[in-house]
Amino acid sequence: MNAVINYFSEIIGGFKTLLQGMGITGKHFFRAHKEIITQQYPDNRDTLTFEDRYRAQVYMEHDENNEHRCDACQTCEIACPNGSIEIIFDRVVDPETGKKKKVLDKHIYHLGMCTLCNLCVLACPTEAIKMSHEFETAVYDRSELTKALNKPGSKLKES
Amino acid sequence: MTTTEIDNKTGLVTQEYKINMGPQHPAAHGVLRLVLTLDGEIIEKVDPDLGYIHRGIEKMTERDTYKQIVHLTDRLDYLSSHINNEAVCLAVENALEIEVPDRVKVIRTIIAELTRLASHQLWWGVMGMDIGALTTFMYAFRDRELINDIMEETCGTRLTMNYNKPGGLMFDIHPNFQKRVKEFIKHFKVSLPEYNTLLSGNVIFKKRLQGIGYMSKEDAIAYGVSGPSARGSNISCDVRKIHPYSAYDRVDFNEILMEGGDSYDRYMVRMKEMEESMKIIEQLVDNIPEGDFETKTAAVLKLPKGEYYQKVESARGEFGVFIVSDGKKSPYRMKFRSPGFANLSILDKISRGHKIADLVAIMSSLDFVIPDIDR
């Protein structure tokens, strides 16, 4: 007799748990209009906001005169764990002091190798490179992931 | 070798056979290949085959400086990336005898517990999905998103944060950090009972897990199982309790232990651990001491000659970092003791005699992250 009672109480208890679960789902179903958390990307591309520290890729800041702050010291190149940064520079003789000085030719950045660890940005002594919020990095060809961060014709900012 | 048997009564010819589960199996949580030896639907043997996502991270560490190594550990167990970072940083700090400020210790602990919560939430969602309850995934991801947003604001990225560095943190916490963490705790205190009503009490879910994948205490110790999976078999192994690091010695929390040792007990350990994590965060979030967020260290760290070991409690168990230094700027050898690898080794033992469908439940209850197993 006990076995029969247990059998039926188990079935009833089982149904109860199922209904409780359904209750949670039902509650959210009727409240759904109040708690929409889905973002309609890419339709909301214009209104997307990012946190200041969000890291998507490295970029070099240029001011309105097309001048940057990179003095080709190669600290970022040494700090990078993956070899994502290559600095190509010329040695130019300073006319005033007569000493040879590094001048940035190209700051090559391989986005395909970058793990966005932020070590280069922390290492940079002149705050020339920063992390941008440009997160849509898909390209058609792998070679497009390698880019020069300094804009053509740009030069070092006189401080 | 396959063996052929002829049933004397019915005259049926039965044969044991082998099938592959994975490496691209939706329930395998990554590229894990299991070679199953089956008798009908009954599992006779499970042979895990690794190597599909081997990246040689331990070898790569020999090339990098100690500051560069930290970001590689994000890619081991990506769900407890902050905790892995912390392990490397603590190992390096202990070796160099750097004393980090109290503020760093507390912030590290809060973020480690947030990471653990996010990891358990994802596990809970995926566990329900493996069993067949697709809704849970949506609930888990809704709440996990809030943690990811907090991480994005303070650490800069959502998953592979790389927020630690030897000697401290990369940045100070964001001004909104405490407010948002409190908001999240308030929200999750309502959500967690929902999780329990939705799945933990569900009769179908219980029937699928109770009595499945029994792991005895002796077996768990013999195979080196750690973390929530071992605590489900009543083994006290929480590194946070036994060897407190960071700020765990100043918080009050319970180590969850269950007696049963089956899949449902391993499930319940994690569910209750989420409550404990919230308790830890609540105790610390209002008491972040003032001070620096880093200690100044040399640009290139050189560890003195010797061997160093540091273990921490990641979301999956005991994560250990073993460094052999020969006094240069890179380690001579670095070994990671990943919890997933030891936990995987017991899969064969506990799933023998069960059905294939139960194997999926057992695997979920052990909570594997494949990049952690296969470095």
Side-chain angles (χ1 to χ4, degrees):
Chain A
M1 190 62 196
N2 260 347
V4 179
I5 294 170
N6 280 345
Y7 178 74
F8 281 107
S9 64
E10 206 175 298
I11 290 177
I12 292 166
F15 266 112
K16 212 174 127 191
T17 61
L18 292 181
L19 287 176
Q20 278 172 344
M22 279 301 283
I24 300 273
T25 318
K27 199 177 88 192
H28 284 286
F29 179 72
F30 287 109
R31 273 212 327 235
H33 61 285
K34 279 183 195 162
E35 49 188 35
I36 294 171
I37 52 158
T38 314
Q39 293 190 16
Q40 297 296 334
Y41 178 80
D43 295 342
N44 67 345
R45 218 186 239 144
D46 303 331
T47 55
L48 274 181
T49 52
F50 296 96
E51 315 295 352
D52 296 340
R53 292 177 185 173
Y54 178 63
R55 309 202 288 267
Q57 56 178 302
V58 180
Y59 81 112
M60 190 180 280
E61 237 182 7
H62 289 71
D63 65 2
E64 63 276 8
N65 303 327
N66 204 14
E67 288 177 334
H68 56 75
R69 284 197 292 273
C70 179
D71 53 5
C73 67
Q74 290 180 294
T75 316
C76 53
E77 195 177 348
I78 296 163
C80 181
N82 316 304
S84 316
I85 294 174
E86 280 174 60
I87 301 213
I88 301 170
F89 59 87
D90 301 326
R91 284 194 192 274
V92 178
V93 180
D94 196 330
E96 286 170 24
T97 55
K99 279 183 189 165
K100 276 193 175 174
K101 209 176 115 191
K102 284 181 191 172
V103 172
L104 182 71
D105 180 24
K106 261 181 187 164
H107 189 296
I108 306 281
Y109 171 55
H110 303 276
L111 178 58
M113 288 199 261
C114 182
T115 54
L116 304 169
C117 66
N118 207 29
L119 290 178
C120 56
V121 177
L122 287 188
C124 184
T126 56
E127 294 184 7
I129 49 173
K130 280 179 181 165
M131 283 286 175
S132 79
H133 298 166
E134 284 293 316
F135 68 99
E136 289 166 326
T137 50
V139 285
Y140 281 102
D141 193 89
R142 197 168 59 177
S143 62
E144 290 170 50
L145 290 170
T146 300
K147 42 194 155 191
L149 291 186
N150 54 328
K151 287 180 188 163
S154 61
K155 58 178 192 287
L156 180 67
K157 197 177 200 166
E158 303 291 331
S159 56
Chain B
M1 282 294 288
T2 52
T3 53
T4 313
E5 282 172 23
I6 299 170
D7 195 315
N8 287 335
K9 277 183 195 166
T10 54
L12 283 174
V13 181
T14 59
Q15 196 177 31
E16 96 180 5
Y17 63 105
K18 289 188 174 179
I19 60 163
N20 276 317
M21 187 168 155
Q24 300 291 346
H25 191 277
H29 301 193
V31 277
L32 175 65
R33 176 175 170 232
L34 299 171
V35 182
L36 308 178
T37 310
L38 300 171
D39 174 20
E41 214 186 333
I42 312 281
I43 294 163
E44 296 203 323
K45 199 159 176 270
V46 181
D47 283 317
D49 182 18
L50 303 175
Y52 289 94
I53 194 164
H54 180 78
R55 293 145 295 167
I57 284 185
E58 283 177 13
K59 191 72 191 165
M60 278 157 85
T61 58
E62 293 167 22
R63 167 201 78 180
D64 290 349
T65 65
Y66 290 101
K67 281 187 178 176
Q68 291 172 341
I69 286 167
V70 178
H71 93 287
L72 286 173
T73 57
D74 279 338
R75 276 95 189 153
L76 296 173
D77 176 358
Y78 48 80
L79 290 179
S80 36
S81 53
H82 178 88
I83 307 173
N84 298 347
N85 291 168
E86 198 179 350
V88 178
C89 292
L90 286 171
V92 173
E93 282 156 13
N94 288 347
L96 289 171
E97 291 169 358
I98 300 171
E99 184 61 38
V100 294
D102 262 9
R103 187 179 175 82
V104 175
K105 287 182 185 171
V106 171
I107 294 171
R108 274 182 183 172
T109 310
I110 296 173
I111 296 194
E113 289 309 313
L114 283 175
T115 314
R116 195 185 314 279
L117 275 174
S119 169
H120 283 356
Q121 281 169 349
L122 188 136
W123 156 83
W124 178 79
V126 172
M127 173 129 198
M129 213 164 72
D130 284 347
I131 306 286
L134 292 173
T135 326
T136 60
F137 189 74
M138 299 297 161
Y139 282 80
F141 266 61
R142 177 195 66 188
D143 298 334
R144 186 171 168 269
E145 188 65 25
L146 297 172
I147 297 186
N148 279 343
D149 284 346
I150 295 171
M151 297 298 187
E152 192 180 323
E153 193 176 41
T154 291
C155 313
T157 36
R158 295 155 60 84
L159 201 63
T160 52
M161 283 102 70
N162 192 25
Y163 185 48
N164 278 306
K165 63 178 184 184
L169 302 168
M170 210 166 244
F171 332 97
D172 204 352
I173 49 167
H174 197 274
N176 290 339
F177 179 75
Q178 279 156 302
K179 195 184 92 201
R180 285 184 81 160
V181 170
K182 277 185 234 167
E183 274 171 13
F184 164 74
I185 295 289
K186 203 177 149 201
H187 171 86
F188 196 53
K189 278 213 162 142
V190 181
S191 295
L192 192 58
E194 263 184 18
Y195 285 19
N196 281 322
T197 324
L198 199 64
L199 197 61
S200 312
N202 189 299
V203 62
I204 302 167
F205 185 71
K206 270 185 171 171
K207 292 262 175 203
R208 286 290 306 274
L209 293 185
Q210 279 172 340
I212 300 295
Y214 171 71
M215 190 199 292
S216 71
K217 194 172 179 176
E218 290 74 27
D219 282 344
I221 293 171
Y223 281 83
V225 179
S226 60
S229 309
R231 290 197 282 279
S233 302
N234 203 11
I235 300 169
S236 169
C237 62
D238 198 328
V239 183
R240 295 175 291 171
K241 274 273 185 215
I242 303 167
H243 301 287
Y245 54 94
S246 290
Y248 286 110
D249 50 353
R250 64 184 83 171
V251 287
D252 173 41
F253 68 103
N254 300 322
E255 182 178 2
I256 308 292
L257 291 173
M258 299 291 259
E259 305 270 325
D262 61 0
S263 297
Y264 191 70
D265 278 352
R266 291 195 285 276
Y267 168 86
M268 281 317 284
V269 168
R270 291 200 175 83
M271 293 308 280
K272 289 188 177 162
E273 228 174 52
M274 286 202 247
E275 286 168 24
E276 298 302 318
S277 291
M278 282 202 285
K279 224 157 96 185
I280 296 173
I281 296 169
E282 273 183 323
Q283 286 172 44
L284 291 175
V285 73
D286 280 326
N287 304 317
I288 302 178
E290 293 296 316
D292 286 333
F293 62 91
E294 59 174 346
T295 326
K296 285 275 175 282
T297 52
V300 177
L301 301 170
K302 282 183 184 170
L303 262 60
K305 219 170 186 176
E307 296 176 357
Y308 309 97
Y309 185 70
Q310 175 69 42
K311 57 180 178 181
V312 295
E313 180 77 13
S314 88
R316 262 147 219 91
E318 179 187 325
F319 178 80
V321 176
F322 180 63
I323 304 174
V324 182
S325 170
D326 55 356
K328 299 208 178 84
K329 60 179 184 175
S330 313
Y332 175 75
R333 171 85 169 91
M334 199 157 181
K335 159 89 182 133
F336 298 113
R337 190 262 181 222
S338 67
F341 191 80
N343 292 2
L344 177 69
S345 65
I346 205 170
L347 182 66
D348 177 40
K349 174 101 186 166
I350 63 175
S351 52
R352 282 187 188 191
H354 289 298
K355 302 235 162 45
I356 302 181
D358 295 333
L359 179 67
V360 177
I362 295 169
M363 276 176 65
S364 312
S365 77
L366 289 170
D367 191 10
F368 294 134
V369 165
I370 311 304
D372 178 40
I373 297 166
D374 201 3
R375 302 178 287 280

